[in-house]
Amino acid sequence: MTDHLLDLISVDDIVAARRRLSGLIRETPLRAVQLPHDPTTDVLVKCENLQPTGSFKLRGALNALLVALERGPRRGFITYSAGNHGRALAHAAQIAGVPSTVVMPATATEAKVEWTRLAGAEVVVVDPDDIVTRAHAIEDERGLGFIHPFDDRDVIAGQGTVALEILDQLGGGEIDAILVPVGGGGLLAGIARILSDRLPDTRIIGVEPEFAGDLAEGFRTGTRVAWGREQTRRTIADGLRSPQVGALPWAHISALVDDVLTVPEEGILDALRLLAVQTDTVIEPSAAVATAALLHHGDTFRGARVVSLLTGGNVDDASFAKLLGSPAPTQSTPTSSRPEEGRS
């Protein structure tokens, strides 16, 4: 076994996380989606937008918080987030009856800031370049526990419970591929750990926006790379603007993932519209990225049975309506800083 494989979490870690989360999160449905002009591909989407906090992030944040409390009492917990992880941590802290603080960038959407406050967190809004420094400063000042958005073993284990749930819902059936959106990489890492063990013939594929394709570049070269925020902020998939995957997710991805694809902005919007109609739910752009790969790389999956992760639906009604009717941004016309910049 190579050194980087020694860093991987175990399947038992993910099984334990599922027991820990039992009754505290929702089992989200798998729903069939029909691709336009392609009746041969059997597509199932995993609707994590239906979690109580509107995204898969609750799995990782809650598992990590509960593990920390098993080790001893805490005064509270803190993280940095542009939205989904912060809301998830706030909800997890409410479940556990402890305080939470979330440091958010000033570029975060008003809706995500408000939802995080309503979930019970103290929200500290700072310049986007200062969120990490400020979060760790408050951590030290108050003696809080820190829950990283993705570069954490217990967070990855919690995210991996998605894969266990999918396996149960498939009832022993096989799938040819699974498509997972990538920001910091924690979700892809957890899913890859389970499926590489339980369904080794399934292709595990990460998907990124072309404007935030740091992992795709690194995957090709075998080196974890970082992109500048000015580069990644151009994508409408605001939850996937992280400039680099985490070190621990990278260890899993480089060892277990089969491929990483990128998709254009117009493809993300096309997938968002398709999913909104066929699942009859609110979808945020980041959640549509995996399904966009089925539209943009259709020949790769023709005739296959595929699961696509629909990761979240935290977008306000006005923004959602605007997305459904908006043209995609182009290389020469970057997106504004709203929706939010940075990690979700």
Side-chain angles (χ1 to χ4, degrees), residues 137-209:
I138 296 172
E139 173 194 359
D140 292 339
E141 290 166 6
R142 302 183 187 177
L144 303 177
F146 179 74
I147 306 292
H148 197 282
F150 50 83
D151 208 357
D152 179 279
R153 301 183 70 85
D154 299 314
V155 169
I156 291 173
Q159 316 303 31
T161 63
V162 175
L164 289 176
E165 205 168 278
I166 290 170
L167 290 175
D168 284 351
Q169 291 169 323
L170 291 172
E174 299 286 328
I175 54 174
D176 297 301
I178 188 164
L179 299 170
V180 185
V182 180
L187 178 62
L188 179 58
I191 287 175
R193 187 66 187 92
I194 286 293
L195 292 189
S196 62
D197 181 79
R198 301 287 177 87
L199 285 181
D201 293 332
T202 297
R203 286 178 55 77
I204 303 166
I205 300 172
V207 188
E208 293 179 301

